[in-house]
Amino acid sequence: MSLVNGSYCFDATRGQTSWQGFCCTDDASLSDFLKGPVTERLHDSTATLDFRDDLRALATTQFASDSLELVLQADVPEERDWAIGESFAEAYLEAEHAVSWPWNHERDKRNPFASLPGADLVGFVDEGGATRLALGEVKASTDANNPPGVMNGRSGMRHQLEQLVTNLGTLCQLLKWLHSRCKGTENEQAFKDAVRLLIDSGNQAISLYGVLIRDTPPTVLDLEARGDALSKNVVSPTSCRLVAIYLPFSIAELPSRVGGAA
């Protein structure tokens, strides 16, 4: 059952590529989704609480406690539109398509404005009883054009998704990144299964996801041309799913609608 009320305004498939539009309803389900799963992904709330509790246990004097609180209060909550958009996409794909994300990008920050190079989304998905590598890109746009500019050019979604399966240097870097985060954890077997399937398929068994977040009227034109173009290059066993999520409010409102930092 969907965590967000709404309706599919278009849905098409061509070969190994599909594209669909989902129109969210502005009700309690969307509010709960933003303040719950999206905020958890955005701020890594559970890990943040553990981090704060563990550090507070080390402060044995009032002076130390006061010093620590100054550090904790200086934490920079991520509230930029694109970061919230990525968290929205992860939470949506997890809820609607059972994609799992073994690592929160919030944990990779070395400075308040760091981001993962190579792909916005890195995880696993079960397809037909087999664990596959899931890679994706996220774009948020208020552009009135259909499709919006973020879908076009070398920095556009189509080109970036194609690079994830054709650029072996990018793929190697992503696998290295994922390996260090899965080794010795509950996700290690999923990593091994996905990589084994990947290399047994000639580096083709990858599930691609492209998520476009919009605050404009829904139209298939946002995805149709890119989906059609991708369908000519995405061949089995690679698969590609494009999703346009239409918000019932402006993208600029996202920061005020998600929950605060833990």
Side-chain angles (χ1 to χ4, degrees):
M1 182 177 179
S2 176
L3 294 180
V4 180
N5 291 331
S7 61
Y8 288 98
C9 38
F10 57 85
D11 194 340
T13 299
R14 189 158 299 157
Q16 291 292 107
T17 301
S18 65
W19 54 96
Q20 60 186 191
F22 183 77
C23 299
C24 301
T25 301
D26 195 2
D27 61 8
S29 71
L30 180 57
S31 179
D32 291 344
F33 184 69
L34 289 168
K35 293 180 179 179
V38 175
T39 295
E40 169 59 35
R41 294 300 308 176
L42 180 67
H43 298 305
D44 198 9
S45 304
T46 299
T48 299
L49 289 172
D50 288 344
F51 162 73
R52 294 185 175 192
D53 288 345
D54 287 348
L55 263 62
R56 283 169 176 151
L58 301 175
T60 57
T61 67
Q62 187 60 50
F63 178 78
S65 295
D66 292 343
S67 298
L68 175 59
E69 290 307 314
L70 289 175
V71 173
L72 297 180
Q73 289 169 17
D75 189 19
V76 180
E78 186 63 273
E79 293 185 344
R80 288 172 292 170
D81 295 347
W82 68 263
I84 299 173
E86 286 184 12
S87 297
F88 193 113
E90 286 183 332
Y92 178 85
L93 291 174
E94 183 173 34
E96 298 295 324
H97 301 291
V99 185
S100 63
W101 314 106
W103 192 259
N104 193 307
H105 296 183
E106 176 76 5
R107 301 181 199 180
D108 279 316
K109 287 185 177 180
R110 298 297 183 271
N111 66 69
F113 306 106
S115 61
L116 171 71
D120 295 330
L121 308 175
V122 183
F124 306 113
V125 64
D126 186 292
E127 289 194 9
T131 301
R132 292 164 58 102
L133 184 65
L135 303 176
E137 295 292 337
V138 182
K139 304 290 185 183
S141 178
T142 61
D143 185 354
N145 292 313
N146 307 111
V150 295
M151 301 297 287
N152 305 315
R154 294 189 62 80
S155 60
M157 184 180 289
R158 173 197 167 186
H159 180 74
Q160 290 177 325
L161 289 175
E162 289 178 339
Q163 285 290 297
L164 293 178
V165 290
T166 59
N167 189 319
L168 295 182
T170 297
L171 182 59
C172 181
Q173 191 63 34
L174 290 170
L175 291 177
K176 186 185 297 184
W177 180 88
L178 199 54
H179 172 264
S180 67
R181 286 148 185 82
C182 294
K183 189 173 179 62
T185 74
E186 61 183 9
N187 297 299
E188 184 171 4
Q189 190 58 52
F191 175 83
K192 291 179 178 179
D193 292 343
V195 172
R196 186 177 294 114
L197 183 65
L198 176 71
I199 58 180
D200 285 346
S201 70
N203 303 324
Q204 297 299 306
I206 299 174
S207 294
L208 297 175
Y209 295 89
V211 180
L212 174 64
I213 298 176
R214 298 283 266 155
D215 56 6
T216 55
T219 172
V220 70
L221 296 178
D222 281 340
L223 297 182
E224 188 173 49
R226 300 289 79 80
D228 185 56
L230 281 164
S231 71
K232 295 178 174 62
N233 297 314
V234 175
V235 296
S236 181
T238 305
S239 65
C240 181
R241 180 186 295 273
L242 303 181
V243 181
I245 299 174
Y246 296 93
L247 301 176
F249 49 78
S250 70
I251 288 174
E253 290 181 53
L254 276 173
S256 66
R257 292 202 175 225
V258 299

